[in-house]
Amino acid sequence: MQSIGFLQGIDMLRRLVALVCLGLLVMSGGVLAAKAKAVKSDLEKLQGTWDIVEVVNNGAQVAQDPTRRGQVVFNGAMMTVQESPDEAEPRKFQFTLYPREKPKAIDMTTQNGEYQGSLNGAIYELEGDTLKLCAPNSPDVDERPMQFKSEEGSSNVLLILKRVKR
């Protein structure tokens, strides 16, 4: 029986480690590609104009006038929220999607107004032409909601949006 020399054993160990590292790199590349594909898919589905059809803020239903509905517009990675047609300066957010989270997550960074630069962690659910967004309605809240609810004392706002047909 032939024994492997000490240096040959180290060389084999190096090769094995390199092979394992290469395998991990290939596997992580697949995971990253799947994440990127999920983000692109949801990003494409969000694009366009959405009517705000229902708002629940801190547990209270906010009346919506169907003739003067607010709108949310997704354009690339920018989201504009106009609560009413005569609002002087709509709120603008840059956003990042995390569609593989449970529930799906969205980070929104305020681009204008009083809270410019603040990050708001929210969740979203997209089913056909209906989009639900639930977010803390306060810059002081760091926790992302885990359910599509706005209960009294939660400071969450729940928006139900319907896609505007072209």
Side-chain angles (χ1 to χ4, degrees):
M1 188 166 167
Q2 190 176 23
S3 67
I4 299 176
F6 178 73
L7 292 177
Q8 286 178 320
I10 290 175
D11 190 44
M12 286 180 66
L13 184 59
R14 282 186 187 151
R15 288 181 186 175
L16 180 62
V17 168
L19 209 63
V20 168
C21 288
L22 181 61
L24 290 173
L25 186 61
V26 168
M27 284 178 19
S28 68
V31 169
L32 291 176
K35 282 183 181 180
K37 185 176 179 181
V39 168
K40 182 179 178 188
S41 175
D42 275 10
L43 181 63
E44 288 171 353
K45 290 175 186 174
L46 288 175
Q47 299 304 296
T49 303
W50 299 76
D51 280 335
I52 301 172
V53 295
E54 186 177 341
V55 178
V56 181
N57 187 20
N58 196 22
Q61 189 83 25
V62 179
Q64 298 295 303
D65 179 350
T67 62
R68 300 187 44 77
R69 282 196 172 128
Q71 292 188 320
V72 176
V73 176
F74 290 91
N75 184 9
M78 292 297 294
M79 177 175 73
T80 303
V81 178
Q82 187 160 4
E83 291 181 22
S84 69
D86 55 351
E87 184 177 20
E89 186 177 357
R91 289 177 289 149
K92 297 179 187 275
F93 302 88
Q94 184 170 355
F95 68 91
T96 304
L97 299 176
Y98 302 96
R100 294 174 58 110
E101 297 289 323
K102 300 290 184 220
K104 292 181 177 188
I106 179 171
D107 284 344
M108 303 177 296
T109 304
T110 308
Q111 300 297 300
N112 62 340
E114 181 181 354
Y115 301 111
Q116 184 172 353
S118 65
L119 177 68
N120 204 344
I123 56 175
Y124 73 99
E125 180 180 86
L126 181 59
E127 290 182 4
D129 288 337
T130 301
L131 173 63
K132 292 181 186 176
L133 288 171
C134 188
N137 200 19
S138 170
D140 302 330
V141 178
D142 291 331
E143 290 187 31
R144 183 185 312 276
M146 293 309 294
Q147 297 179 354
F148 292 94
K149 290 183 178 179
S150 174
E151 297 173 330
E152 186 176 347
S154 70
S155 84
N156 286 345
V157 62
L158 173 64
L159 298 174
I160 309 294
L161 311 172
K162 293 285 185 186
R163 182 182 300 280
V164 173
K165 303 290 184 190
R166 297 175 198 174

